[in-house]
Amino acid sequence: MSIEQQLTKEFKHDSRRSPEGLNNRITAEYRQQVMQQRGVSIMFRKRKTSVYLLTALIVVMLCGFGYAGSRLLYSDEGRLSVSNRTEQQLQFKQEDVVKIRGELEKVKAQLVPGESAVVYLRDFDRTIGESPIIYGINNPVKVPAEEWRMLLQQQGVQEKLPETLLGAYSLEEGMEASPFQVALGTGADSIFDELKTEGTASGSEMLWRLTDTANGFIDTYTSLYRNAANDTIYVTWQIAGEDVNPAILQLSPPGITAEDATIGGLTAHYLKNDQSLFGQSSIHQDVTWVSEAGDTAVAYHVQTDSAAVTKEQLIEAAESLVQK
């Protein structure tokens, strides 16, 4: 069974209706995906362009991909369709989370702003079905607040960008990336294979190599807000291009917390994960929703890696972004 047929069949088995026309969006040449906060998110597109990959930890190649034992967390359908399932192979012990975070930070410390790397970790070499888990890390270029506003204006981004959130968090900087996702280029899978072969021969616990950073059909922008205690709230927009209708399938660890919320009349989803491999801590919270207006579709994320920020505060910050 082809991957197109397999994914279409799995979506039809969901308790919710599968995204309309999803099977028409899945292209055989698109083999790389997105992992959202220790969950893999797979994007499918209509047109043939360069392969695009977003991942917060893992690149999963789709050979033998399946949903055995998984649980549907949510499914939003539309011009930009997003669904999220749990995946048992994304569950790690807390001491393993600490180790993986440390190894990724070691690599990031050696990258100049704008560089990306594929990382092989021998002790955490896993697969989902027949698909290898590939770790990666980016070191995004950070832009000061005033320059960030100018950049967004030049690129035609019209999303609401307040000076402060919750009265105490001030806009400090921005980046054309997500702090909880990694954007890797088309060569990530072959680089991983080379590193694994080298690691098997040498017995090395960790190896890494530079790769190109992906550029593709969804533009990502993150604005960072901080308070006096250095707690951080991140506002990320994933904006779909006018000529594509992507569908994003996310995979998350089974221990993740998922609850629905309402943001500006839209259904949003609150996620809390205590196994985050990125950010200032292993605790990551995210309030996410999708909004569509005319030819524009945007996936919003209001996130934090600060233990002092509560779910209620994140929801309040999210609501302030959709108020007129």
Side-chain angles (χ1 to χ4, degrees):
M1 181 184 295
S2 71
I3 184 57
E4 297 96 316
Q5 293 170 325
Q6 186 174 352
L7 284 172
T8 301
K9 179 180 178 181
E10 294 293 345
F11 270 104
K12 287 180 179 179
H13 286 178
D14 285 347
S15 59
R16 305 183 187 186
R17 182 175 60 88
S18 62
E20 183 179 359
L22 176 62
N23 56 322
N24 293 325
R25 298 187 214 165
I26 301 175
T27 57
E29 48 84 25
Y30 192 84
R31 301 178 59 228
Q32 297 180 320
Q33 305 82 19
V34 178
M35 175 184 160
Q36 172 86 23
Q37 180 39 35
R38 282 278 340 286
V40 185
S41 299
I42 307 158
M43 290 186 179
F44 306 101
R45 61 182 181 203
K46 285 183 177 178
R47 61 192 178 105
K48 286 189 176 181
T49 58
S50 60
V51 175
Y52 183 64
L53 165 67
L54 289 173
T55 177
L57 162 67
I58 298 167
V59 180
V60 174
M61 307 314 294
L62 288 178
C63 303
F65 188 81
Y67 297 129
S70 70
R71 176 171 61 97
L72 181 67
L73 299 177
Y74 65 81
S75 179
D76 292 335
E77 304 166 16
R79 186 175 171 277
L80 173 59
S81 298
V82 183
S83 62
N84 195 314
R85 286 178 172 271
T86 61
E87 168 52 53
Q88 186 63 42
Q89 286 300 310
L90 303 183
Q91 181 74 52
F92 291 99
K93 298 178 181 178
Q94 284 306 123
E95 56 265 32
D96 293 338
V97 172
V98 172
K99 185 173 182 179
I100 297 171
R101 283 174 56 88
E103 296 293 351
L104 293 177
E105 280 300 316
K106 288 179 186 178
V107 175
K108 185 176 181 178
Q110 301 176 67
L111 303 179
V112 301
E115 285 187 335
S116 304
V118 175
V119 182
Y120 170 71
L121 300 172
R122 185 193 65 191
D123 293 342
F124 306 103
D125 184 8
R126 299 185 179 186
T127 61
I128 298 177
E130 298 178 7
S131 305
I133 291 177
I134 301 177
Y135 301 82
I137 189 73
N138 292 153
N139 186 15
V141 176
K142 295 182 179 179
V143 182
E146 288 307 312
E147 296 179 25
W148 180 240
R149 287 187 177 279
M150 293 175 59
L151 184 150
L152 293 175
Q153 184 176 12
Q154 291 168 359
Q155 297 196 9
V157 178
Q158 300 179 1
E159 307 307 311
K160 185 177 181 180
L161 185 67
E163 287 288 344
T164 62
L165 290 175
L166 304 178
Y169 292 79
S170 299
L171 178 64
E172 283 199 1
E173 59 192 11
M175 57 178 140
E176 293 185 79
S178 167
F180 305 104
Q181 296 178 339
V182 175
L184 300 176
T186 59
D189 57 324
S190 60
I191 292 175
F192 173 79
D193 290 341
E194 294 169 3
L195 292 176
K196 183 173 181 177
T197 299
E198 181 181 341
T200 300
S202 66
S204 299
E205 291 188 4
M206 188 271 280
L207 295 168
W208 66 276
R209 188 171 301 164
L210 291 175
T211 186
D212 57 315
T213 300
N215 291 291
F217 60 95
I218 286 191
D219 297 320
T220 302
Y221 304 94
T222 297
S223 303
L224 285 72
Y225 292 81
R226 291 194 177 95
N227 66 7
N230 208 36
D231 299 319
T232 308
I233 293 177
Y234 308 84
V235 177
T236 297
W237 308 313
Q238 293 176 310
I239 304 176
E242 294 183 0
D243 55 346
V244 293
N245 294 320
I248 305 174
L249 169 61
Q250 301 173 350
L251 300 182
S252 298
I256 195 170
T257 297
E259 304 173 8
D260 282 350
T262 301
I263 304 295
L266 298 172
T267 298
H269 312 285
Y270 168 76
L271 303 174
K272 183 177 182 180
N273 177 23
D274 64 359
Q275 295 194 351
S276 174
L277 302 185
F278 298 96
Q280 300 303 308
S281 76
S282 62
I283 304 295
H284 172 259
Q285 299 178 81
D286 182 9
V287 176
T288 180
W289 70 98
V290 177
S291 178
E292 299 184 13
D295 293 331
T296 302
V298 183
Y300 294 82
H301 300 272
V302 179
Q303 308 169 89
T304 187
D305 51 14
S306 301
V309 180
T310 67
K311 175 183 72 173
E312 291 74 20
Q313 287 175 315
L314 273 190
I315 291 175
E316 182 180 348
E319 289 173 339
S320 70
L321 297 176
V322 299
Q323 293 173 354
K324 301 299 184 180

